[in-house]
Amino acid sequence: MDLGAQLRSAAKAGRKRRAIWVRLLDTMRLLRTGEGRARLWTRLAHRQRVHQTASDTWEERYPELFDRAAELMPDAGRILSFGCSTGEELLALRRRFGAAEIVGAEINPRSRRIAARRLASDSRTRVVDPTGIHGEFDLIFALAVLQRGPHWVEEAGVDDLSADYPFAKFDQIVRELVGQLRAGGLLCTMHTHYLVEQSSAAPQLEPLSDSPRMCGPFFGPDNRRLATQSAPSIHRKR
């Protein structure tokens, strides 16, 4: 095994043990780029509010989900993209909902500035900090947001998320989002670490069995890994 492979193997093992030297190494890597520094700042400054810290995205990331939502609610008047990152998702939504008011909420200030510039010519789209979300929505998207470090979770074979992304944090934001959804509105999620059906807001929601499936791993309210490997991505508010 060459030196590079040895280092990667050691880092993988250290990450699973949550070794301090690996955490310091990961932090140093973040400091090398503007995006990394913004992620680190967001994680430190908004510890209580932040969910996923990575800003990875692209314009047609979930076309099947976008298309299904447009079929179910073609006349949606207000749409929220919770965790819109640098704005590509907003462009994909505008393509399908030409007349809607679209609000993109993003906690990372660097990503928020990029998204605002990207959508500057669209007078019906606003990009705000999550504290600036107001009113009710017909559609709410939270895609690859309600999770923390999914690649690390897979790589380290994590069985208990309580130290990194506890169920209570997920449950609180799902309750808040459902509270901002109109009756009959749709909550669209993808790549969540917990099941919407197990949240305290579940009695207000009807899972749509014919919606695109999202894949695990999933964890339960006790923060432990579940055997469940797929779940519906769209829930309708009763």
Side-chain angles (χ1 to χ4, degrees):
M1 184 182 296
D2 62 32
L3 180 59
Q6 290 178 16
L7 289 172
R8 287 191 294 272
S9 178
K12 181 177 180 178
R15 200 167 278 117
K16 187 170 185 177
R17 298 193 312 272
R18 301 182 61 80
I20 292 176
W21 72 269
V22 176
R23 297 171 74 178
L24 288 173
L25 179 62
D26 289 342
T27 299
M28 292 298 292
R29 285 174 174 166
L30 288 176
L31 291 171
R32 292 164 53 187
T33 66
E35 178 186 345
R37 290 189 293 273
R39 286 176 57 183
L40 185 59
W41 167 255
T42 300
R43 187 187 304 167
L44 295 174
H46 304 289
R47 183 178 299 274
Q48 299 304 314
R49 294 195 296 138
V50 72
H51 296 270
Q52 171 67 299
T53 60
S55 57
D56 302 337
T57 188
W58 56 91
E59 194 167 323
E60 288 292 339
R61 193 174 186 181
Y62 304 107
E64 186 181 3
L65 176 58
F66 295 149
D67 289 345
R68 185 65 180 128
E71 291 171 2
L72 291 167
M73 195 161 286
D75 299 320
R78 293 194 83 218
I79 299 172
L80 171 64
S81 169
F82 183 79
C84 70
S85 188
T86 48
E88 287 86 345
E89 182 177 308
L90 304 177
L91 296 174
L93 292 174
R94 173 58 70 210
R95 189 171 296 118
R96 293 162 173 84
F97 300 95
E101 176 190 352
I102 300 176
V103 177
E106 174 55 47
I107 198 168
N108 182 315
R110 178 179 182 273
S111 294
R112 193 166 61 242
R113 288 193 298 271
I114 294 171
R117 287 198 298 268
R118 178 168 277 129
L119 278 299
S121 63
D122 185 344
S123 62
R124 296 282 290 163
T125 297
R126 295 186 298 116
V127 180
V128 301
D129 181 275
T131 59
I133 300 172
H134 300 293
E136 291 187 320
F137 297 88
D138 301 296
L139 278 169
I140 296 179
F141 293 87
L143 310 179
V145 176
L146 306 184
Q147 58 178 352
R148 178 67 65 82
H151 299 299
W152 169 74
V153 168
E154 281 293 290
E155 182 181 90
V158 174
D159 289 318
D160 186 335
L161 273 182
S162 55
D164 297 282
Y165 188 61
F167 175 79
K169 190 165 194 171
F170 167 85
D171 192 54
Q172 178 181 353
I173 193 60
V174 171
R175 287 200 313 270
E176 291 178 8
L177 293 176
V178 172
Q180 293 170 308
L181 195 61
R182 292 189 176 115
L186 303 178
L187 174 65
C188 304
T189 59
M190 192 62 75
H191 294 314
T192 66
H193 270 151
Y194 297 98
L195 297 169
V196 172
E197 297 93 307
Q198 293 187 340
S199 73
S200 58
Q204 301 179 64
L205 300 169
E206 173 194 359
L208 301 189
S209 58
D210 62 345
S211 62
R213 306 294 290 183
M214 58 177 175
C215 299
F218 296 108
F219 296 76
D222 62 356
N223 304 298
R224 305 288 298 183
R225 188 182 285 249
L226 299 172
T228 304
Q229 289 299 312
S230 72
S233 59
I234 302 178
H235 295 73
R236 188 188 301 278
K237 188 171 183 179
R238 299 182 193 279

